[in-house]
């Protein structure tokens, strides 16, 4: 190795640090109508990768989404581990939806895009979110001509499978628009697809 060259491991560590610098600080609170205790649980403060989808980040990487032996896959608690034990008995925590200052957030947009659309603050203050677990009510929760499937990833299938399929379909569309062919995405090996999706989920 020539003088001044960096080992591959150092390059990987630098890339991970840069990715995490782009993570978004959030402050997540449980919706008032979900609180089953005398007092609400404390808010969750966390860093969310810009590439992540809120419902998937909510659960944290599991199974194939977390690299084997990677202790950095999840930095601290997730909304599920933080809030689910404080919900009313029988409340299903598998299909959450989020809002920012009363505005429901679409699950199928990455966190970075949602945050940039919702706020122009650049002072490093956490982005304030509220998590809901009751079923999305089109009549009371939504804006005109919207439906729960836009905000709750659990509508229509297993949230993780729905989000993953959406990501790869969007990627194929984007690559086709940019290059005239989606063969580069369609030709990815199963391992390459798993690694790419893991990067989306964890920010690494």
């Amino acid at each position: 190795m020539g003088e001044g060259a960096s080992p591959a491991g150092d390059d990987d560590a630098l890339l991970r640090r840069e990715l995490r610098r782009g993570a978004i600080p959030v402050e997540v609170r449980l919706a008032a109508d979900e609180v089953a205790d005398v007092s609400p649980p404390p808010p969750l403060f966390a860093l969310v990768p810009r590439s992540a989808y809120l419902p998937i980040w909510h659960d944290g990487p599991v199974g194939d989404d977390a690299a084997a032996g990677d202790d950095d896959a999840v930095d601290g608690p997730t909304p599920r581990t933080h809030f689910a034990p404080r919900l009313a008995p029988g409340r299903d925590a598998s299909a959450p939806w989020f809002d920012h200052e009363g505005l429901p957030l679409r699950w199928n947009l990455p966190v970075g895009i949602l945050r940039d659309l919702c706020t122009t603050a650049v002072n490093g203050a956490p982005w304030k979110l509220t998590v809901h677990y009751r079923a999305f009510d089109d009549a009371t929760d939504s804006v005109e001509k919207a439906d729960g499937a836009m905000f709750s990833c659990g509508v229509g299938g297993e949230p993780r499978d729905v989000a993953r399929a959406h990501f790869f379909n969007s990627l194929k569309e984007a690559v086709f628009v940019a290059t005239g062919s989606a063969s580069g995405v369609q030709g990815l090996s199963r391992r390459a697809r798993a690694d790419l999706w893991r990067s989306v989920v964890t920010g690494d």
Side-chain angles (χ1 to χ4, degrees):
M1 183 179 296
E3 184 177 354
S6 299
D10 291 346
D11 292 340
D12 289 344
L14 176 61
L15 178 59
R16 287 192 176 200
R17 285 197 301 271
E18 290 301 311
L19 286 169
R20 286 176 177 166
R21 282 179 58 190
I24 295 173
V26 297
E27 175 186 338
V28 186
R29 293 182 181 272
L30 182 63
D33 60 355
E34 302 276 11
V35 176
D37 290 343
V38 174
S39 58
L44 170 67
F45 292 90
L47 289 174
V48 186
R50 290 186 61 89
S51 61
Y53 295 95
L54 281 172
I56 307 306
W57 168 74
H58 169 272
D59 290 348
V62 296
D64 292 339
D65 294 345
D70 187 356
D71 294 332
D72 295 329
V74 182
D75 295 325
T78 65
R80 175 184 280 274
T81 60
H82 187 76
F83 293 119
R86 308 290 295 275
L87 296 176
R91 176 72 83 192
D92 184 9
S94 65
W97 57 277
F98 293 80
D99 79 59
H100 168 68
E101 297 181 349
L103 176 68
L105 300 174
R106 296 184 61 143
W107 73 262
N108 58 349
L109 294 178
V111 172
I113 293 177
L114 288 171
R115 191 267 182 191
D116 293 345
L117 289 172
C118 289
T119 177
T120 57
V122 294
N123 59 3
W127 185 31
K128 297 181 184 298
L129 302 175
T130 300
V131 62
H132 304 258
Y133 293 100
R134 61 176 172 77
F136 189 94
D137 187 337
D138 299 347
T140 60
D141 295 321
S142 183
V143 293
E144 186 178 0
K145 296 182 180 179
D147 64 78
M150 296 172 63
F151 307 110
S152 179
C153 186
V155 177
E158 168 62 34
R160 196 166 296 270
D161 294 338
V162 172
R164 179 175 173 137
H166 167 77
F167 169 75
F168 280 104
N169 285 336
S170 297
L171 181 61
K172 285 188 286 187
E173 290 175 1
V175 170
F176 181 84
V177 170
T179 67
S181 171
S183 60
V185 178
Q186 294 171 330
L188 289 174
S189 66
R190 182 175 180 179
R191 175 62 182 273
R193 283 176 171 262
D195 288 344
L196 180 57
W197 177 242
R198 185 182 303 120
S199 295
V200 171
V201 172
T202 65
D204 283 338

